[in-house]
């Protein structure tokens, strides 16, 4: 009964929720969310600087998340590059002095908080010609006004950035009297026009007063209450906003400090001044407000304008637009023709007459335009998610629960959808799809949770990436060894399916090919496998069966490949020279060099070879009937199977213990290429030695495995954000619901792209050799034009 209920439940789900209906629902969700976000930005304003300065929340205890955008964590070198030849002035009381020290520590962390607390404090970084001054003006009065006025008159050099604020001294000195508040309003009213005048050429920020922790205040400060502070802040905001309405320039109100203080002021040493972590956060916000538009960090979306369209992006937009128009015209013509030739009912006999002309089949052109039409709409969604400022973005924040709880969820789902396999061979198609599927889901959870900061998880994820490459070696070697098909058609099909989506994204998202590092990796390894086996003498299974010496010839080829890999891995200079030649450099350079490509290749340099060797040994054992692959049968004899299973489990756990005890990422990465195969082989044996385990698979994981490449690539822009540095926010304020909705849309898009790629592969890469040659010439022309436009684009940027 339980089994029947289990099977019936799955059928019920599959009946009422098909892939087609899911995609229709995803399309509706995208249109609705895009409309809502567009309306919100129109009526509430789309300036992320305003959000950065005024709203946000804490992720954990110390990580501040601005509303709707991502905040970059500036290093000392980046801060210096941004502020080179700049003069910054902090003017105000002891709280502004705190902010001043936190700010200059971003430029020079060695600075100590010394000097006269109630006096001016200068700072200068001569290497970058940066000058930062703290000017002691604890009250908003005539003295402060005179200093600000001197900057407007040109008698003193005008700072590029001015950060001002004061109020607590006025409350303290005048014992919180109403007269002091009235005088504060008068004084700030007289200063406001001067600040507005400065804001025309400088960045001017007025820092609102943070709340205090009244229970910790000393007796001399008891009159500084949060009620009084709110009154002073309200006055400052009203006057500054009123002044801004009459001026094009605007003084930026730095109110976010209040929100930060509300969460952290109880950790204050005296109830008045913020703890160090909070003021450091304020300084980082200030740095983001000013520097993001200059430095344009990938993970700093706050205060960054939308990047202008490049020439190639404009051409892509025109191409997709024409494809959509062309498809609509052809579809309209076909519909009209169909209506004219449609069967009509004989009114007298009531019989249906056959049409004179049959409904025309879908032409190649129509299928091509239909595919590009869908692809164009999908690429629009990609662009809106990660290049336009329509949807929101947030920083990642890792917690153990955010990684491990989703892992448990998908494991339960995977077990729920367990089915019998059609065949029980080692690493059969269903099993490899399942393997790719659950690995891809774990990698996705790893990326969205920011788990790369936790070294044990990072090391295990590195094994999963290595396992993908292991499958590349195993799969392609098995195909060439068994089939002996080294034709151009096979090579073009594989290269097209691997690279089509990435090439389109390079064009639409204006990113280099190496940015999507996994695709260049598997592409190069495929070509290496092909070259190794295709170069004379071509040794395949059929030939080797006739003479056992050919097996030794193949092993000799594999040894030569291993030697080349070994030598190249210890010759970084030679490696970089090979891939620095044009036009290879256009494919493998990232940020002006090929170091990233070198690092990625070196990290898993042996695992493809291991995959090829494993395929060779397994197929040899299978050929000589030394393994049993019957349904329910153990792979070897019971005794051998039990010993191998025990060794595999011990090896698997030993690697996990070693990976979990890693202390240094660099040292562990050095060992990874040699030891990752241990856990991969252990998993294969655990999964395949017991016959009952080999005879079942998870259709849930296998479904994701069939679109694993698309999932890996699409996550860069429509699930994560800012080129994987952050998280896409479609539904703000509800993190869990947002992840569910964005994941649903993301998976539907990846599945549709997989189908588009398969459809286009049949058209672009035909089996007929003469037609294929013509297509290859067209593709060569396309890439030549792309290189030309790319060179023009680079010249215009420089």
């Amino acid at each position: 009964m339980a089994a029947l209920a289990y099977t019936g439940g799955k059928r019920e789900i599959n009946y009422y929720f098909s892939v087609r209906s899911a995609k229709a629902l995803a399309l509706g969700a995208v249109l609705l969310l895009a409309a809502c976000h567009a309306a919100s930005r129109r009526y509430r304003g789309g300036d992320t600087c305003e959000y950065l300065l005024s709203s946000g929340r804490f992720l954990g205890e110390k990580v501040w998340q601005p509303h709707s955008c991502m905040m970059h964590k500036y290093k000392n070198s980046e801060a210096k590059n941004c502020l080179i030849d700049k003069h910054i002035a902090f003017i105000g009381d002891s709280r502004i002095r705190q902010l001043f020290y936190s700010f200059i520590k971003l430029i020079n962390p060695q600075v100590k908080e010394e000097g006269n607390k109630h006096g001016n404090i200068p700072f200068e970084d001569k290497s970058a010609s940066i000058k930062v001054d703290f000017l002691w003006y604890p009250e908003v009065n005539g003295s402060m006004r005179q200093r600000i006025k001197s900057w407007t008159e040109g008698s003193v050099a005008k700072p590029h950035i001015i950060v001002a604020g004061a109020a607590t001294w006025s409350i303290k000195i005048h014992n919180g009297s109403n007269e002091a508040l009235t005088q504060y309003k008068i004084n700030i009213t007289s200063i406001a026009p001067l600040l507005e005048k400065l804001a025309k050429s400088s960045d001017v920020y007025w820092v609102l007063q943070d709340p205090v922790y009244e229970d910790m205040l000393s007796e001399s400060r008891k009159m500084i209450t949060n009620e009084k502070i709110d009154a002073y802040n309200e006055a400052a905001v009203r006057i500054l906003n009123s002044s801004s309405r009459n001026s094009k320039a605007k003084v930026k109100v730095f109110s976010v400090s209040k929100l930060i203080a509300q969460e952290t002021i109880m950790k204050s040493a005296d109830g008045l001044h913020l703890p160090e972590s909070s003021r450091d956060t304020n300084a980082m916000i200030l740095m983001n407000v000013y520097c993001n538009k200059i430095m344009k960090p990938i993970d700093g979306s706050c205060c960054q304008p939308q990047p202008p369209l490049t020439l190639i992006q404009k051409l892509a937009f025109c191409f997709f637009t024409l494809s959509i128009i062309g498809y609509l015209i052809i579809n309209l013509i076909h519909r009209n023709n169909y209506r004219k030739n449609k069967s009509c009912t004989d009114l007298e006999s009531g019989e249906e007459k056959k049409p004179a002309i049959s409904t025309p089949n879908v032409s190649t052109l129509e299928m091509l335009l239909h595919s590009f039409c869908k692809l164009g709409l999908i690429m629009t969604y990609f662009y809106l998610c990660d290049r336009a400022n329509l949807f929101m973005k947030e920083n990642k924040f890792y917690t153990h629960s955010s990684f491990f709880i989703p892992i448990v969820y998908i494991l339960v789902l995977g077990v729920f959808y367990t089915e019998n396999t059609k065949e029980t061979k080692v690493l059969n198609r269903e099993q490899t799809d399942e393997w790719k599927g659950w690995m891809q889901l774990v990698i996705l959870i790893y990326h969205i949770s920011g788990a790369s900061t936790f070294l044990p998880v990072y090391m295990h994820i590195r094994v999963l990436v290595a396992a993908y490459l292991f499958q590349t070696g195993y799969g392609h070697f098995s195909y060439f060894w068994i089939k002996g098909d080294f034709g151009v058609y096979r090579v073009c099909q594989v290269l097209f399916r691997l690279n089509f989506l990435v090439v389109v994204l390079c064009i639409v998202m204006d990113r280099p090919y190496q940015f999507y590092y996994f695709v260049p990796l598997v592409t190069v390894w495929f070509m290496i496998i092909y070259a190794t086996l295709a170069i004379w003498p071509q040794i395949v299974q059929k030939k080797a069966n006739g003479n056992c010496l050919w097996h030794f010839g193949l092993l000799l080829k594999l040894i030569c490949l291993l030697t080349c890999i070994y030598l190249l891995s210890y010759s970084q200079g030679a490696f970089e020279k090979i891939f620095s030649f044009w036009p290879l450099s256009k494919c493998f350079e990232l940020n002006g060099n090929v170091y990233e490509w070198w690092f990625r290749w070196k990290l898993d340099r042996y695992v493809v070879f291991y995959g090829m060797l494993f395929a060779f040994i397994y197929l040899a054992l299978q050929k000589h009937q030394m393994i049993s692959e019957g349904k329910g049968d153990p792979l070897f004899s019971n005794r051998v199977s039990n010993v191998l299973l025990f060794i595999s489990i011990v090896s698997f756990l030993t690697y996990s213990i070693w990976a979990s005890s890693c202390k240094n990422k660099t040292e562990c990465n050095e060992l990874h290429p040699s030891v990752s195969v241990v856990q991969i082989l252990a998993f294969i044996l655990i999964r395949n030695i017991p016959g009952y385990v080999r005879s079942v698979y998870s259709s849930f994981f296998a479904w994701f495995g069939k679109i694993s490449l698309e999932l890996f690539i699409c996550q860069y822009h429509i699930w994560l954000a800012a080129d994987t540095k952050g998280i896409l926010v479609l539904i703000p304020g509800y993190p869990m619901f947002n992840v569910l909705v964005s994941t649903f849309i993301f998976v539907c898009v990846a599945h549709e792209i997989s189908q588009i790629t398969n459809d286009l592969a049949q058209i672009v890469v035909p089996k007929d050799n003469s037609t294929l040659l013509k297509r290859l010439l067209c593709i060569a022309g396309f890439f030549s034009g792309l290189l030309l436009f790319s060179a023009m684009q680079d010249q215009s940027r420089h």
Side-chain angles (χ1 to χ4, degrees), residues 3-72:
L4 285 172
Y6 166 76
T7 308
K10 288 193 294 183
R11 285 177 180 171
E12 195 78 7
I13 292 170
N14 293 334
Y15 178 78
Y16 286 107
F17 199 70
S18 66
V19 172
R20 188 181 181 87
S21 60
K23 289 177 182 176
L25 185 60
L27 178 60
V30 168
L31 294 174
L32 179 62
L33 289 167
C36 290
H37 278 269
S40 174
R41 287 192 175 274
R42 181 176 177 82
Y43 292 107
R44 295 176 57 187
D47 187 0
T48 51
C49 276
E50 290 289 338
Y51 294 135
L52 179 60
L53 290 169
S54 62
S55 58
R57 70 184 193 279
F58 272 104
L59 303 174
E61 292 185 0
K62 295 182 179 180
V63 180
W64 181 253
Q65 173 58 60
H67 176 68
S68 85
C69 62
M70 294 168 60
M71 194 167 77
H72 178 64

Side-chain angles (χ1 to χ4, degrees), residues 68-111:
S68 85
C69 62
M70 294 168 60
M71 194 167 77
H72 178 64
K73 190 173 182 180
Y74 277 90
K75 299 175 183 176
N76 310 127
S77 57
E78 292 174 320
K80 285 183 180 182
N81 287 336
C82 168
L83 300 173
I84 193 167
D85 295 327
K86 295 293 186 292
H87 177 204
I88 301 102
F90 288 79
I91 179 168
D93 55 15
S94 56
R95 287 173 156 187
I96 298 296
R97 184 182 66 239
Q98 277 192 312
L99 183 58
F100 159 79
Y101 273 119
S102 291
F103 188 84
I104 60 175
K105 283 180 182 177
L106 292 175
I107 302 167
N108 182 1
Q110 308 304 320
V111 170

Side-chain angles (χ1 to χ4, degrees), residues 349-450:
S349 65
E351 295 178 355
E352 189 177 89
K353 296 179 181 178
K354 292 182 180 180
I357 303 171
S358 61
T359 305
N361 294 323
V362 177
S363 65
T364 301
L365 178 60
E366 187 175 359
M367 186 184 292
L368 189 69
L369 290 175
H370 185 217
S371 296
F372 281 129
C373 178
K374 291 189 291 183
L375 188 64
L377 295 174
I378 289 171
M379 287 301 113
T380 302
Y381 179 62
F382 271 78
Y383 187 85
L384 292 176
C385 285
D386 209 22
R387 287 297 173 269
N389 291 327
L390 180 64
F391 297 117
M392 300 176 179
K393 302 174 180 68
E394 287 189 354
N395 294 87
K396 298 177 185 177
F397 178 69
Y398 175 73
T399 60
H400 291 320
S401 60
S402 67
F403 177 75
F404 290 104
I405 290 176
I407 295 291
V408 174
Y409 285 161
I410 66 164
L411 180 62
V412 171
L413 282 169
V415 172
F416 179 74
Y417 279 91
T418 301
E419 297 178 10
N420 292 325
T421 58
K422 293 177 182 177
E423 55 179 337
T424 55
K425 292 181 180 179
V426 172
L427 293 180
N428 58 68
R429 182 59 182 267
E430 290 161 331
Q431 190 184 124
T432 53
D433 281 341
E434 174 204 83
W435 191 9
K436 286 190 288 186
W438 71 256
M439 287 195 303
Q440 185 56 62
L441 291 176
V442 172
I443 290 171
L444 290 174
I445 294 168
Y446 164 82
H447 282 151
I448 200 168
S449 63

Side-chain angles (χ1 to χ4, degrees), residues 108-127:
N108 182 1
Q110 308 304 320
V111 170
K112 295 181 180 179
E113 299 187 18
E114 299 174 339
N116 183 6
K117 289 187 177 182
H118 294 169
N120 297 342
I121 305 171
F123 167 82
E124 188 172 2
D125 187 295
K126 293 183 179 178
S127 63

Side-chain angles (χ1 to χ4, degrees), residues 334-605:
H334 281 183
R335 282 179 178 272
N336 288 335
N337 290 339
Y338 178 72
R339 282 173 188 162
K340 289 176 183 177
N341 299 310
K342 192 170 70 169
S343 302
C344 59
T345 303
D346 190 326
L347 295 177
E348 293 182 0
S349 65
E351 295 178 355
E352 189 177 89
K353 296 179 181 178
K354 292 182 180 180
I357 303 171
S358 61
T359 305
N361 294 323
V362 177
S363 65
T364 301
L365 178 60
E366 187 175 359
M367 186 184 292
L368 189 69
L369 290 175
H370 185 217
S371 296
F372 281 129
C373 178
K374 291 189 291 183
L375 188 64
L377 295 174
I378 289 171
M379 287 301 113
T380 302
Y381 179 62
F382 271 78
Y383 187 85
L384 292 176
C385 285
D386 209 22
R387 287 297 173 269
N389 291 327
L390 180 64
F391 297 117
M392 300 176 179
K393 302 174 180 68
E394 287 189 354
N395 294 87
K396 298 177 185 177
F397 178 69
Y398 175 73
T399 60
H400 291 320
S401 60
S402 67
F403 177 75
F404 290 104
I405 290 176
I407 295 291
V408 174
Y409 285 161
I410 66 164
L411 180 62
V412 171
L413 282 169
V415 172
F416 179 74
Y417 279 91
T418 301
E419 297 178 10
N420 292 325
T421 58
K422 293 177 182 177
E423 55 179 337
T424 55
K425 292 181 180 179
V426 172
L427 293 180
N428 58 68
R429 182 59 182 267
E430 290 161 331
Q431 190 184 124
T432 53
D433 281 341
E434 174 204 83
W435 191 9
K436 286 190 288 186
W438 71 256
M439 287 195 303
Q440 185 56 62
L441 291 176
V442 172
I443 290 171
L444 290 174
I445 294 168
Y446 164 82
H447 282 151
I448 200 168
S449 63
S452 59
T453 56
F454 187 47
L455 193 53
V457 173
Y458 167 82
M459 290 307 301
H460 282 87
I461 296 299
R462 289 262 36 104
V463 175
L464 299 190
V465 175
Y468 267 102
L469 293 170
F470 182 93
Q471 283 196 47
T472 296
Y474 171 84
H476 291 306
F477 177 91
S478 298
Y479 179 87
F480 289 128
W481 174 250
I482 296 168
K483 301 282 188 180
D485 176 13
F486 296 98
V488 179
Y489 172 74
R490 166 69 181 177
V491 175
C492 292
Q493 275 279 327
V494 172
L495 292 179
F496 183 87
R497 290 173 189 275
L498 286 176
N499 290 276
F500 171 69
L501 175 58
V502 164
V503 170
V504 173
L505 287 177
C506 289
I507 294 168
V508 174
M509 305 304 287
D510 189 30
R511 282 292 172 263
Y513 180 62
Q514 180 55 34
F515 175 75
Y516 307 94
Y517 75 92
F518 186 75
V519 171
L521 206 55
V522 292
T523 300
V524 168
W525 278 117
F526 168 73
M527 294 306 299
I528 290 171
I529 295 165
Y530 177 79
T532 303
L533 298 176
I535 289 174
W536 184 89
Q538 286 184 4
I539 305 171
V540 295
Q541 190 178 58
K542 189 176 180 180
K543 182 186 285 188
N545 289 340
N547 189 339
C548 289
L549 290 176
W550 286 117
H551 286 93
F552 293 102
L554 181 63
L555 286 173
L556 188 62
K557 274 191 170 188
L558 293 178
I559 290 169
C560 289
L561 173 61
L562 180 62
T563 305
C564 291
I565 293 168
Y566 178 81
L567 293 174
L568 205 55
S569 66
Y570 288 96
S571 307
Q572 184 177 350
F575 184 95
E576 290 185 350
K577 281 182 180 178
I578 291 169
F579 289 98
S580 294
F581 284 113
W582 191 91
L584 280 180
S585 59
K586 295 295 291 184
C587 295
F588 297 101
E589 279 187 357
L590 192 65
N591 301 322
N593 58 67
V594 295
Y595 175 79
E596 178 71 13
W597 168 234
W598 155 256
F599 170 77
R600 295 291 183 183
W601 178 87
K602 189 182 178 184
L603 201 56
D604 294 300
R605 58 188 179 272

Side-chain angles (χ1 to χ4, degrees), residues 670-741:
E670 284 296 320
L671 289 171
H672 168 77
S674 303
V675 300
S676 62
V677 71
V678 172
Q679 197 165 43
I680 295 169
L681 290 176
F683 170 79
I684 292 171
L685 293 176
I686 292 168
R687 183 71 177 83
N688 286 278
I689 287 175
Y692 60 89
V693 176
R694 197 175 63 252
S695 301
V696 296
Y697 81 108
S698 170
S699 58
F700 174 78
F701 289 141
W703 189 88
F704 285 98
K706 290 172 184 175
I707 58 169
S708 59
L709 183 66
E710 288 78 14
L711 287 170
F712 189 87
I713 299 166
C714 290
Q715 66 166 329
Y716 278 70
H717 303 296
I718 62 168
W719 196 51
L720 304 175
D723 296 342
T724 75
K725 303 294 183 182
I727 299 169
L728 179 67
V729 179
L730 300 176
I731 303 173
Y734 301 92
M736 290 301 297
F737 188 47
N738 173 69
V739 170
L740 288 173
V741 172

